Amino acid sequence: MIKNIIDAELPVEVEDQVVQTIRNMESNFPFLLALNPEDRQAIPKIGKRSLDFVERSLMHAKENKNLVPPLVNLDEFDRDYKLMVQLRRVLSVAESFTRKIKDTYMAVGSEAYESSRDFYDYIKRGASRNEMGCEEIRRDLAARFKKQLTTEE
């Protein structure tokens, strides 16, 4: 493991500002959905090939309005396509930003965990030598490593 790959601080004011900015950004998208797992699985997914299919279908439908079935609202189809393209661009930027936050969180979490393990190892050695205060700390920290028993119902 690479030690100390990140050494930074995030002032609370900046953290608060970022959280508020994200909340403000979210308010610009009042139409956002939160699908449940069943809905996520049930709806057709759009990938690169499907995106091309949708784009070409819309183009043909606009050029051949007489062939558009009554159940297809061409104006709504066009709005959905345009919003999808816009959201794809926003999503690309947001995913890149989110990935960097997740990677940084993972790295700094790893560093903190490594420091915790080093501290715990030191405390265990101190407890084995009966150094004052070490046994109480060792017992408290040892709870992290106890196997959790699960009961089958």
Side-chain angles (χ1 to χ4, degrees):
M1 175 63 195
I2 300 171
K3 285 256 186 193
N4 204 29
I5 59 174
I6 184 165
D7 185 13
E9 292 183 10
L10 178 63
V12 174
E13 306 81 41
V14 174
E15 175 191 3
D16 291 343
Q17 182 181 12
V18 168
V19 168
Q20 189 57 50
T21 298
I22 292 170
R23 287 185 177 139
N24 290 341
M25 288 184 335
E26 190 171 359
S27 72
N28 288 317
F29 296 87
F31 49 81
L32 290 180
L33 303 174
L35 299 174
N36 64 43
E38 295 81 22
D39 290 340
R40 290 177 73 71
Q41 191 164 6
I43 63 173
K45 312 306 183 283
I46 185 125
K48 187 174 176 83
R49 287 179 51 197
S50 298
L51 179 62
D52 182 56
F53 174 74
V54 170
E55 182 178 11
R56 293 173 62 82
S57 295
L58 180 60
M59 177 191 69
H60 288 300
K62 285 179 172 180
E63 291 174 0
N64 300 282
K65 292 180 183 177
N66 60 317
L67 299 177
V68 176
L71 61 104
V72 174
N73 180 323
L74 193 53
D75 290 335
E76 185 177 319
F77 184 6
D78 189 44
R79 282 193 309 274
D80 286 346
Y81 173 75
K82 287 176 181 172
L83 180 59
M84 181 186 65
V85 170
Q86 291 172 310
L87 288 174
R88 184 174 178 212
R89 178 176 173 232
V90 172
L91 184 60
S92 175
V93 173
E95 284 178 337
S96 174
F97 180 61
T98 300
R99 187 174 37 258
K100 289 175 186 175
I101 292 172
K102 284 181 177 181
D103 288 350
T104 304
Y105 176 81
M106 183 184 297
V108 76
S110 176
E111 289 179 7
Y113 184 66
E114 287 293 320
S115 294
S116 297
R117 292 293 306 259
D118 291 344
F119 176 73
Y120 180 55
D121 288 345
Y122 184 81
I123 290 297
K124 288 191 304 186
R125 286 192 300 277
S128 71
R129 293 189 300 270
N130 294 321
E131 291 182 23
M132 179 144 13
C134 288
E135 181 57 27
E136 184 178 328
I137 295 170
R138 187 204 62 78
R139 276 196 308 267
D140 181 53
L141 296 178
R144 156 62 176 94
F145 299 101
K146 287 185 180 177
K147 299 266 186 212
Q148 293 192 3
L149 300 176
T150 58
T151 58
E152 291 183 18
E153 297 180 8

